[in-house]
Amino acid sequence: MQDLNDLALYAAVVRHKGFTAAANALGVPKSKISKRIAALEEQLGVRLIERSTRKLSVTDIGKSFYDRCEAVLSGVEAAEAVVAVAKAEPAGTVRMSMPPGFAPMIAAVLPGFMKRYPLVRLSIITTGRPVDLIEERIDIALRVRDTYDTDQSLVVRRFASTRRHLAASPAFLERYGHIDFDTISRVPTLSMQENTPRAIWTLHNASGDVRDIAHSPVLSCSDFAVLERATLEGIGLGLLPDMIAERGFRAGALTHVLPDWSSAEAAVHAVFTSRHGMLPAVRALIDHLAENLPRSLERCQEITPGERSPGTWSI
């Protein structure tokens, strides 16, 4: 069994490309590092570093050994971080971004978090655009997307999945009659695609067929609460997420249009920059969301007393 301190000293020498640089970085005498590396080589029975008065060269086996050392040290650091997080009281400010329309789900789970961690302060930014976590100093970004971010520097934690369904009020259908793919473009529609006179809905069915529907929305807004209200009031045909549409279908306030078709499945997830060095408050919020957000999404689909008509509907 190797001494972890010796592994750390060896990794530092390779990482800093020399004994002197490693000694300066660690604040350890160069002679001690040299002695410990020599003892490590003797114990292993191999030459890790070729030394000369002018040059240091890592052997092939030394390079492979270095990679394993870094993996071991990283694991130790992660294990220590788990203990530190468990011991530390979450405190400080956490900055989180979320898409419009997420307010009802988040509002239901945050009070419990704030009561449990009174030293934490939350700053929530609501925006429909992709945020740059590093540039904008965002600790956690909640997202709903068909695919995950391809940025390898980001860590993803999935909470749930959702689809969007075409929905219309009974009064809207009485006014415009039966709606199919051929007639959608001739009825008022609602869209979350902002600042565009023409929008596209891409729908899928269980057989794997895909249909793109071009339409000219009478109302565009990235906030689903606005789109839900407009759909309930009969302003237009909407493509609403299941977490919102289902309760309308159950209550009879909305009718499922083209029920065999829906948007592609999207993942409700959080992205953050790294698990290493994460503040306890950030980790606590991510864990709290993972535990409570799926249930909050389900509750948004439920019917509450009085939710039987657009006039009494609340979100």
Side-chain angles (χ1 to χ4, degrees):
M1 182 69 68
Q2 305 301 323
D3 188 327
L4 285 176
N5 291 319
D6 289 347
L7 300 185
L9 290 176
Y10 172 70
V13 171
V14 177
R15 191 183 312 118
H16 294 286
K17 300 184 171 125
F19 286 89
T20 301
N24 292 335
L26 299 177
V28 176
K30 177 182 175 182
S31 58
K32 178 179 179 179
I33 296 178
S34 180
K35 181 178 178 181
R36 294 308 308 164
I37 299 301
L40 178 63
E41 290 177 318
E42 183 176 352
Q43 186 176 5
L44 293 171
V46 296
R47 195 75 165 168
L48 299 174
I49 299 174
E50 296 291 352
R51 306 163 179 81
S52 70
T53 56
R54 300 178 56 188
K55 186 178 179 182
L56 177 148
S57 176
V58 182
T59 64
D60 289 340
I61 188 65
K63 292 176 182 177
S64 297
F65 187 68
Y66 166 74
D67 292 336
R68 301 301 184 274
C69 287
E70 286 286 37
V72 170
L73 295 172
S74 178
V76 172
E77 180 184 347
E80 291 175 341
V82 170
V83 175
V85 168
K87 293 171 60 178
E89 175 68 17
T93 299
V94 179
R95 289 170 54 84
M96 181 174 73
S97 69
M98 67 179 184
F102 241 65
M105 286 69 76
I106 293 300
V109 303
L110 287 187
F113 176 80
M114 301 299 290
K115 291 176 182 177
R116 184 176 179 183
Y117 302 108
L119 299 181
V120 176
R121 296 186 178 186
L122 293 181
S123 177
I124 300 176
I125 301 164
T126 302
T127 176
R129 63 173 177 78
V131 297
D132 186 316
L133 276 70
I134 297 176
E135 285 290 325
E136 300 179 55
R137 298 186 298 110
I138 302 295
D139 297 301
I140 307 168
L142 290 181
R143 293 175 176 172
V144 183
R145 295 185 181 176
D146 298 345
T147 58
Y148 293 126
D149 198 305
T150 56
D151 189 338
Q152 297 298 312
S153 67
L154 298 180
V155 181
V156 176
R157 185 157 182 182
R158 185 181 183 277
F159 299 138
S161 62
T162 181
R163 292 179 184 270
R164 287 179 287 156
H165 303 275
L166 284 175
S169 70
F172 182 88
L173 293 176
E174 285 182 15
R175 191 180 321 134
Y176 293 98
H178 176 73
I179 297 175
D180 55 28
F181 284 110
D182 295 327
T183 58
I184 286 179
S185 61
R186 297 198 293 270
V187 302
T189 56
L190 313 170
S191 174
M192 67 175 297
Q193 294 174 263
E194 298 177 326
N195 300 320
T196 175
R198 296 285 288 174
I200 299 290
W201 284 334
T202 300
L203 301 181
H204 304 247
N205 66 11
S207 300
D209 301 319
V210 180
R211 292 286 296 269
D212 287 330
I213 305 173
H215 59 106
S216 300
V218 297
L219 171 64
S220 299
C221 180
S222 60
D223 193 323
F224 281 123
V226 174
L227 298 181
E228 180 197 29
R229 174 63 65 175
T231 306
L232 288 165
E233 297 289 352
I235 303 302
L237 175 68
L239 187 65
L240 302 177
D242 48 18
M243 59 183 123
I244 291 176
E246 284 294 335
R247 59 184 181 183
F249 298 151
R250 294 174 186 175
L254 292 174
T255 299
H256 204 165
V257 177
L258 298 176
D260 294 331
W261 296 79
S262 70
S263 71
E265 184 177 85
V268 180
H269 61 282
V271 295
F272 42 97
T273 53
S274 174
R275 288 189 176 92
H276 297 295
M278 181 183 291
L279 294 175
V282 176
R283 187 180 297 274
L285 180 55
I286 293 172
D287 291 342
H288 184 82
L289 291 174
E291 180 181 356
N292 295 280
L293 190 56
R295 176 56 186 150
S296 180
L297 295 174
E298 292 176 5
R299 280 198 299 267
C300 280
Q301 301 178 17
E302 298 172 356
I303 306 166
T304 58
E307 292 185 336
R308 298 295 173 182
S309 66
T312 59
W313 200 271
S314 61
I315 181 170

